[in-house]
Amino acid sequence: MTLELTPIPCLADNYAWLWHDTATDTVVVVDVPEAAPVLKVLTERDWQLHHILITHHHADHIAGVEALAQATGAKVAGAAADAHRLPPLDHPVAPGDVLALGMETAQVLAADGHTLGHIAWYLPGAGLLFSGDSLMSWGCGRLFEGTPAQMFDTLTRLAALPPETRVCSGHEYTVSNGRFALALEPGNGRLHDRMDRVTALRLAGEPSLPVTLGEERATNPFLRSHDAALRAALGLPEGADPLAVFTEARARKDRF
């Protein structure tokens, strides 16, 4: 199975994630901040879009969905529980559902925290996770609607996926998220190594995504709530509950 994956920059710092299943010529996009950049790529590659997948209702992820669906005839899939805040859905889905997309299957995962009704799309065959604004590159989404406990649960479940899984999140926030991680642990060599690599990519005009889940487990403070070094960096006592560690880290990021 071969998927061609293309992150399409949109707005100031968003990505629409486009993939092409070469075996069946199936074309899918995850989140559409604006239609024009996606249509441009489709036209340049002479691809016919078949499906639009949505992670959550925020305008910078769905503003272009209806125009793109009208222009291409693509079918739209999103969370049934959040349908009242989404464009019209051809495929209302719930966590645990599986959507067949060409030779690939996309599993629907609950991803509450950033918003309620947020979902992630996981492609086990291709090893891809489209996490929207839940798990982000070197960070996690701000808690606009959910609780720290909900986001902690989401991140714990996503982190349990295979380490080679490539995380495709919704924004180019890696450098700013990395600055926060380094502010917490300025002596952590792995963080400096990652910042060097990410900075080089961005200076070359390349996206910092996707990133492996293994890299995130090693460097993302929001996936390291069990790590004694991070707990100490946050000034929390030995034995502090991992949820308390996550909650403190998220609160500090909000003020950073």
Side-chain angles (χ1 to χ4, degrees):
M1 183 185 305
T2 303
L3 291 187
E4 299 177 57
L5 179 68
T6 304
I8 302 176
C10 297
L11 304 176
D13 51 34
N14 281 77
Y15 286 120
W17 288 95
L18 186 72
W19 88 74
H20 175 226
D21 176 356
T22 58
T24 62
D25 211 26
T26 301
V27 181
V28 181
V29 67
V30 182
D31 289 342
V32 188
E34 50 185 341
V38 180
L39 285 168
K40 182 175 183 291
V41 174
L42 292 171
T43 300
E44 289 172 348
R45 301 185 183 184
D46 194 25
W47 288 352
Q48 174 63 47
L49 185 67
H50 298 90
H51 300 278
I52 299 169
L53 310 184
I54 297 172
T55 61
H56 66 294
H57 75 272
H58 281 165
D60 64 329
H61 291 256
I62 65 170
V65 168
E66 289 191 71
L68 187 62
Q70 290 169 5
T72 62
K75 302 300 184 183
V76 181
D82 214 22
H84 60 291
R85 302 191 289 188
L86 297 175
L89 299 177
D90 301 289
H91 300 293
V93 298
D97 288 350
V98 176
L99 202 60
L101 303 168
M103 296 290 289
E104 187 56 87
T105 56
Q107 298 178 5
V108 181
L109 307 180
D112 288 329
H114 179 65
T115 67
L116 300 179
H118 194 306
I119 58 174
W121 297 90
Y122 174 51
L123 278 59
L128 293 171
L129 174 67
F130 298 93
S131 54
D133 290 356
S134 53
L135 173 59
M136 306 192 79
S137 179
W138 221 345
C140 74
R142 186 181 291 267
L143 306 181
F144 285 111
E145 297 178 352
T147 65
Q150 287 173 313
M151 181 64 94
F152 179 73
D153 174 69
T154 288
L155 297 180
T156 299
R157 287 183 290 99
L158 297 183
L161 296 172
E164 64 272 15
T165 301
R166 290 180 292 161
V167 178
C168 307
S169 57
H171 290 269
E172 184 56 71
Y173 285 171
T174 311
V175 171
S176 60
N177 285 340
R179 290 191 186 113
F180 171 70
L182 280 165
L184 291 181
E185 299 178 279
N188 187 322
R190 296 195 71 162
L191 305 188
H192 286 281
D193 289 345
R194 183 174 182 185
M195 183 61 87
D196 289 344
R197 287 183 276 113
V198 168
T199 301
L201 284 171
R202 299 304 294 146
L203 287 173
E206 297 293 328
S208 65
L209 298 161
V211 59
T212 67
L213 189 55
E215 176 92 84
E216 290 300 315
R217 289 180 186 171
T219 59
N220 188 330
F222 301 110
L223 298 189
R224 295 175 50 229
S225 299
H226 294 81
D227 190 313
L230 177 64
R231 184 184 67 235
L234 291 168
L236 296 175
E238 184 176 353
D241 182 78
L243 175 57
V245 176
F246 170 81
T247 301
E248 176 64 20
R250 184 60 253 182
R252 292 198 187 193
K253 180 65 166 63
D254 291 343
R255 301 190 298 267
F256 184 70

